[in-house]
Amino acid sequence: MSPAAGGGAPAVDDLLAVAPPGETPDLSGAHPRLGADRIRMLGARGVRRPTSRGDLLLVEGRPDHGFVVVLAGRVAVVAAFGTPEQQIVRVHGPGRFLGELGLLTGQVAFSTAVALEPGEVLEVPRDRLRECLLRDAEFCDEILRASLLRRSLAIGEGHGFRIVGSRFSADTRTLREFAMRNRLPHRFVDLESDAGSESLLRTLGITPAETPVVIWHDVVLRNPDPAELAALVGQRPVRRRRSRPLDLVVVGAGPAGLAAAVYGASEGLSTQVVDAVGTGGQAATTSRIENYLGFPAGISGTELAERAEVQAAKFGATTHTPAEAVALDTSGGLHVVRLRGGDTLVTRALLVATGARCRRLPVPRLDDFEQTSVYYAATQVEAQLCVDDPVVVVGGGNSAGQAALFLADHARTVRLVVREHGLDEYMSRYLADRIERDPRIEVHLHTEVCDLVGERGLLEACVVQDSRDGTRSTLPARELMVFIGADPCTGWLGGTVALDSGAYVCTGRSAEDGGGDGRRSPGLLETSVPGVFAAGDVRSGSTKRVASAVGEGAMAVRLVHEHLAHAR
């Protein structure tokens, strides 16, 4: 907590001139008021501090070190504080707390909290807050729910940093996908359509050739990679040195990996999760999962992953992205995971949960359009690109069906190209029924894409062929969404564990048959190497569903316990 300095006082004067009276109403449940009992509990673990008009209680772009409760006075939550674009987004009075998800994940704040008048706050250090969350389940639920809702509001309102670049740039796309997969509040400024983008770049002395750029207050990152963006928002790097090996390292932060993190950490295992891109895995490419137990209204893959990451952090697990595993050494008694960049993780048990990578469409000229017009996900990022455009979705499974329904709310037209003779051959019946009843979606059964049409890297149409009579037709398309299956991400294993003919990881009896050590029978999810387990889509014979991946991740932790007990 620090007093305003420099231009702070004039900025506060400007805020007071537009601040609403009282406090803003809590319409979404994101800003609950803590009761007297909770404040007394927190007070025993924190410090009460007087505040003066203009004090900065949280600062955008800086870490959230403590849990701050307003005891007296009013506090404004401000986006882009101290800039010409600053605006009040909330005003809080006594009993409300400040901050959002970064308090639990270690990320920086995405808005600034300014005292509008003299008052008092209670500040509880993060580690002491975690004690409270673990002891009081109801309080924990309240804080977690509010933090998740606040992050969703921040994303929807475009708080945080700006990504400035061309929608047709592969580097821009990489940054946007990283921000989306990690649920980072930001705003995209498209050089192709935003009228003020060129003047913004001129002001900063940046040429279009130097884009994409990330801008946040006085920080400008020229064509950064995801690791630089992660550092900007405070996502912690992998810890380089540990005096003791970890109990469990999980490679892959999809549903299986996150489930293992939750169960492993909650059961006392020192647990660390790494992922090359972000949390969610294949599920993060899905706009809405409707057949996952406990979510009758459905939930997006990114939201599910975000909840799981926070849940794992509550129990002490750490998640690091981007952190790509490139090699595994199992030659000693411990397992060593080597990461791109040279860092290593040493662990007593390892869970391989790297999932699968989307399969590319085998058509001519795909390389010409893949960086600008071909996508392997259907999230808000892709939806923004598809507004008023003709879109072709390829695939006959649930992912393709969900993508078609989601994009129909944004695109001018959606055409679903399906190789199978019926929608329900690989797609859930409820989803097939919904697509068949939706007049916005044109379904092409027993049809495959055979060619792409366009100039200078911009897609114009897809040529498709009917597999029954061989007739061809041309479907207009500015964007092509591909959901035709996936291949396992096992290249980094380098022959250390047995794989099946499709390069999926063998476990249990198949691992014993496929290269086990001959002296032991691997457990149900154990590979041919003792203490190395596999779960989720990367495992040979797995059911490719979110629920089964979560179940396997949880089951793997029980097997890890058995291995560790036997290894002592």
Side-chain angles (χ1 to χ4, degrees), residues 370-392:
E370 196 162 31
Q371 299 302 324
T372 59
S373 307
V374 181
Y375 300 88
Y376 299 89
T379 67
Q380 286 294 339
V381 171
E382 288 76 24
Q384 292 170 12
L385 297 173
C386 294
V387 172
D388 294 330
D389 282 349
V391 174
V392 168

Side-chain angles (χ1 to χ4, degrees), residues 160-165 171-172 175-176 178-179 184-187 200-201 204 206 210-226 228-230 232-233:
F161 56 89
R162 285 177 289 179
I163 298 175
V164 184
D171 292 334
T172 300
L175 291 177
R176 296 187 68 198
F178 180 81
L184 302 178
H186 69 286
R187 182 158 57 91
L200 173 63
L201 293 182
L204 296 171
I206 297 171
E210 295 177 286
T211 60
V213 295
V214 172
I215 303 171
W216 204 2
H217 285 277
D218 57 348
V219 176
V220 178
L221 302 179
R222 287 170 165 80
N223 197 11
D225 59 22
E228 292 176 89
L229 180 53
L232 179 67
V233 301

Side-chain angles (χ1 to χ4, degrees), residues 238-527:
V238 173
R239 186 174 173 181
R240 292 177 181 273
R241 292 184 178 87
R242 290 184 58 93
S243 57
R244 298 175 57 188
L246 290 153
D247 293 326
L248 174 62
V249 165
V250 180
V251 181
L258 290 172
V262 170
Y263 283 93
S266 67
E267 295 173 12
L269 300 179
S270 57
T271 305
Q272 189 159 317
V273 186
V274 295
D275 194 282
V277 180
T279 57
Q282 284 273 79
T285 67
T286 303
S287 58
R288 185 159 296 274
I289 303 167
E290 294 192 74
N291 58 354
Y292 186 58
L293 185 67
F295 294 91
I299 184 171
S300 75
T302 52
E303 288 177 294
L304 183 66
E306 182 182 57
R307 290 167 182 258
E309 182 183 0
V310 172
Q311 192 175 12
K314 179 183 77 170
F315 293 117
T318 56
T319 303
H320 301 285
T321 60
E324 183 182 1
V326 295
L328 172 63
D329 182 358
T330 61
S331 58
L334 299 172
H335 308 302
V336 180
V337 178
R338 304 192 186 282
L339 305 177
R340 187 172 302 282
D343 290 331
T344 60
L345 294 172
V346 181
T347 181
R348 299 168 65 203
L350 172 69
L351 177 65
V352 178
T354 40
R357 186 175 292 107
C358 296
R359 198 168 289 152
R360 300 174 74 237
L361 199 65
V363 297
R365 299 192 65 197
L366 181 68
D367 290 343
D368 294 347
F369 304 105
E370 196 162 31
Q371 299 302 324
T372 59
S373 307
V374 181
Y375 300 88
Y376 299 89
T379 67
Q380 286 294 339
V381 171
E382 288 76 24
Q384 292 170 12
L385 297 173
C386 294
V387 172
D388 294 330
D389 282 349
V391 174
V392 168
V393 179
V394 183
N398 280 3
S399 295
Q402 290 287 8
L405 285 169
F406 174 63
L407 295 172
D409 292 331
H410 305 273
R412 185 198 311 163
T413 59
V414 174
R415 294 175 174 87
L416 179 61
V417 176
V418 180
R419 183 175 58 181
E420 291 73 33
H421 289 256
L423 266 185
D424 60 351
E425 189 168 336
Y426 293 109
M427 190 181 296
S428 296
R429 185 65 256 177
Y430 83 91
L431 196 54
D433 288 342
R434 193 175 302 173
I435 290 172
E436 289 169 348
R437 292 195 303 264
D438 196 320
R440 302 170 301 172
I441 302 174
E442 183 181 297
V443 179
H444 296 258
L445 295 174
H446 42 78
T447 302
E448 298 183 51
V449 176
C450 58
D451 205 356
L452 303 177
V453 179
E455 298 294 335
R456 291 177 294 185
L458 300 181
L459 185 66
E460 297 173 5
C462 296
V463 179
V464 298
Q465 180 170 316
D466 189 307
S467 61
R468 292 185 308 181
D469 58 20
T471 59
R472 292 192 173 194
S473 56
T474 300
L475 307 179
R478 288 299 302 272
E479 287 84 25
L480 173 63
M481 308 294 181
V482 181
F483 300 90
I484 57 170
D487 296 313
C489 299
T490 52
W492 66 281
L493 294 172
T496 54
V497 301
L499 307 178
D500 68 11
S501 59
Y504 289 88
V505 178
C506 296
T507 56
R509 184 174 295 278
S510 65
E512 187 176 23
D513 297 339
D517 59 17
R519 298 185 300 274
R520 52 180 285 281
S521 296
L524 184 62
L525 300 179
E526 195 170 19
T527 71

